[in-house]
Every structure is written in structure tokens, then in C-alpha cells.
Amino acid sequence: MSEFPILSALSKTDAAGLTEFHRIAAEALAFDGYAPFNEQGLFDLHSGLRTAYLVRSNDLLVGAALAGRGEIDLVITPECRRSGYGRAAWGELGALEPGEMTAWSHGDHPGARALAVELNFVAVRTLLELRKSLPDTEESASVSLDGAGISAFRPGLDDAEWVDLNALVFATHPEQGAITEADLAARQAESWFSSDDFLILRDVDGRMIGYNWLKIDGAIGEIYVIGVHPDAAGHGFGRALMQAGLQRLHAAGCSTAALYVEADSAGAVHLYRSLGFTDHTVDVQYRRLAG
């Protein structure tokens, strides 16, 4: 092993390098069962806010990383793990972000936990991925909407109202609450996007008071993001939106529903578990301590 792995920064026009980056990510996903880079990080890469790196030791390609905006993500190829490459690469990557820095351990890997302690990082967030098998028939919603109705998102008409509502619902969330209309447009450009899978709850006056955005891309359908206006909380609208989403995933042929939720969001976790969702993976975010 080379004591100091070489980090190769990839430009947005380095097609060959980016192909290798995504290949390493895909291999890690297939081996581990969870992705080494989250969606927000990849969006940041595509928009130029973060930089992709390949990690080499001598002539051996041993990993890939994302860095920028005070956050680092690193994955070592499965065949090169337990050889000290991760520890050595972290030393190089840490120097790229001299101030406050966070890093995700996707899958809450025990090796990452040990390395975090060694490098003076502490756990600050836990993100759960929950999943639920969809039965042959999905129950209809049993909650009254009190005159409200669920309809499809209208691109070009609902964008600003949804961004404002989403920012209100996720006012304390570091990523979701910061989504802009440009971010929304980027997601609408994704191949999986369909406005019919973006369920909007409106009150009797037509005001948007909730939503359940679905991501249907194969057998696993994701409750991508769901929210209810704080003023409309406590009326069962979240459960009704979840039931409507599960029905749509079932109708689309999905065999499994998935979602991500902060572990400390007790109300949301309780709702999802009451609907039959169980733990699938755990991601932990670490923050580097000063000094």
C-alpha cells in the first residue's frame, strides 16, 4: 500500500474519470446493498458545488470521494478494504475542508465508526431507510380529508407554492428545507420524474397544505418527500397522503415501498412504523470536532 494515496480531482468534462467514479459507486452499492453517495451530493456534483475525486495508490484505483460545501464522502472499493486506504485517504481529504466538516457513514459501517473516533468526529445525525412490502391489494385511506382533495402537481403553476410550503415544513432540516425552484426544476428533469406521482393535498380553498412526492423507478417505489403544513397538523392528513402514495406505488407495479426519515423525528417514525415500515439501512452523519 502507498502511505499517501493520490487524489485526482475530476472536472465536469472528464467523461472517462466520471465513468470510473460512477462505476466504483455502483460496485459498492451492489456489494453493500446501499449507495455510498447520497442524492444531494450527486446533485451538488452535477451543479458544480462539489468535486468528485478518484483515489489511487500507485497504479491501483482504490476508491472515490466527493468533497465540497464542508462535507466529504468516501468509498473504498470492496476488494481494497481493510488495507488502510480509507484512513490514509481521509487524511488527504480532511485537508481539503479545513473548517467545520461533516461526513456520512452510509450503512453505519463499524469501520467508519472506529475511524470517526480516531479522527475526532462525533455522530450528529442518524438517517433511517425504512421499507415495506406492498401486498397484492393496498388498503384505501380511512382518514377523512375534511373537504380537502388530492390531485397531481402542476409543473410551472405549483412550483413556487410548493417550494414555500416545503421550506416551512422542513424549516430545521439542513438539506430538504433549502430546496429552491432551481433545485426543483433539476429534479423534474430526472428520468424518473412524473407529475402524476407528485401528490398534492389542497384545502377547500385550493391552498396547498400537504404533499407526497413519489419516486417510481423500478420495483422499489420511494416516498421521496412528504409534508403537511404545520397549521394542518393533527388531522390525519399525513396518514391519508401516505395511504394515497402506497396505493399509487402498488398500482404502478412496485413490490416494495421505501422512505428515508430522521431517526429523531418521533412522530413521523411512529406513523411509518404503524403503516408496516421496518428498518432497512442506517446512515450516520459525523462532524469533526475543533482542535
Side-chain angles (χ1 to χ4, degrees):
M1 185 196 81
S2 172
E3 185 177 356
F4 300 104
I6 297 173
L7 302 181
S8 301
L10 305 177
S11 70
K12 295 179 68 173
T13 59
D14 187 350
L18 290 171
T19 296
E20 287 291 274
F21 173 88
H22 289 294
R23 179 188 63 78
I24 291 171
E27 288 182 356
L29 170 60
F31 183 85
D32 297 321
Y34 49 83
F37 306 115
N38 60 28
E39 184 184 63
Q40 185 60 53
L42 295 175
F43 271 118
D44 287 346
L45 171 62
H46 295 153
S47 61
L49 297 174
R50 298 182 72 181
T51 301
Y53 293 84
L54 294 178
V55 185
R56 291 187 171 87
S57 179
N58 298 323
D59 294 327
L60 181 65
L61 185 59
V62 301
L66 273 177
R69 307 188 76 180
E71 184 169 309
I72 288 177
D73 293 287
L74 168 70
V75 63
I76 300 299
T77 58
E79 67 272 17
C80 293
R81 294 174 183 175
R82 299 181 181 274
S83 300
Y85 292 120
R87 179 177 287 98
W90 267 111
E92 299 294 302
L93 288 163
L96 299 175
E97 298 287 335
E100 182 175 300
M101 185 176 75
T102 60
W104 281 102
S105 169
H106 300 287
D108 190 21
H109 195 280
R113 270 183 260 142
L115 187 58
V117 172
E118 179 182 327
L119 298 178
N120 210 26
F121 281 72
V122 294
V124 291
R125 288 175 62 192
T126 300
L127 185 67
L128 306 176
E129 182 187 359
L130 307 181
R131 290 191 178 185
K132 165 187 167 70
S133 295
L134 295 176
D136 292 335
T137 58
E138 190 63 38
E139 296 180 4
S140 59
S142 58
V143 179
S144 170
L145 293 178
D146 295 330
I150 296 175
S151 56
F153 179 83
R154 301 168 301 176
L157 296 176
D158 291 333
D159 301 56
E161 187 177 7
W162 181 82
V163 167
D164 288 344
L165 176 57
N166 180 72
L168 182 63
V169 171
F170 290 97
T172 61
H173 195 281
E175 292 104 18
Q176 185 63 36
I179 286 182
T180 65
E181 287 191 54
D183 296 326
L184 175 60
R187 284 159 174 76
Q188 290 183 64
E190 292 290 306
S191 60
W192 53 263
F193 176 80
S194 170
S195 58
D196 291 335
D197 299 330
F198 198 161
L199 309 180
I200 302 297
L201 177 66
R202 299 181 187 279
D203 64 15
V204 292
D205 297 318
R207 184 177 66 116
M208 188 183 298
I209 58 172
Y211 53 88
N212 187 357
W213 188 353
L214 309 173
K215 181 179 180 180
I216 301 176
D217 189 16
I220 299 177
E222 182 181 344
I223 307 295
Y224 188 57
V225 58
I226 183 170
V228 174
H229 194 291
D231 292 346
H235 296 281
F237 292 145
R239 181 174 293 272
L241 281 164
M242 281 294 298
Q243 290 282 15
L246 293 174
Q247 291 168 36
R248 182 154 188 86
L249 295 180
H250 174 260
C254 298
S255 59
T256 302
L259 59 83
Y260 292 88
V261 61
E262 301 285 339
D264 60 1
S265 296
V269 172
H270 175 74
L271 170 62
Y272 302 147
R273 295 202 189 286
S274 74
L275 291 169
F277 283 84
T278 58
D279 291 359
H280 182 67
T281 62
V282 178
D283 295 341
V284 178
Q285 188 185 57
Y286 292 90
R287 176 175 292 125
R288 181 170 56 192
L289 294 173

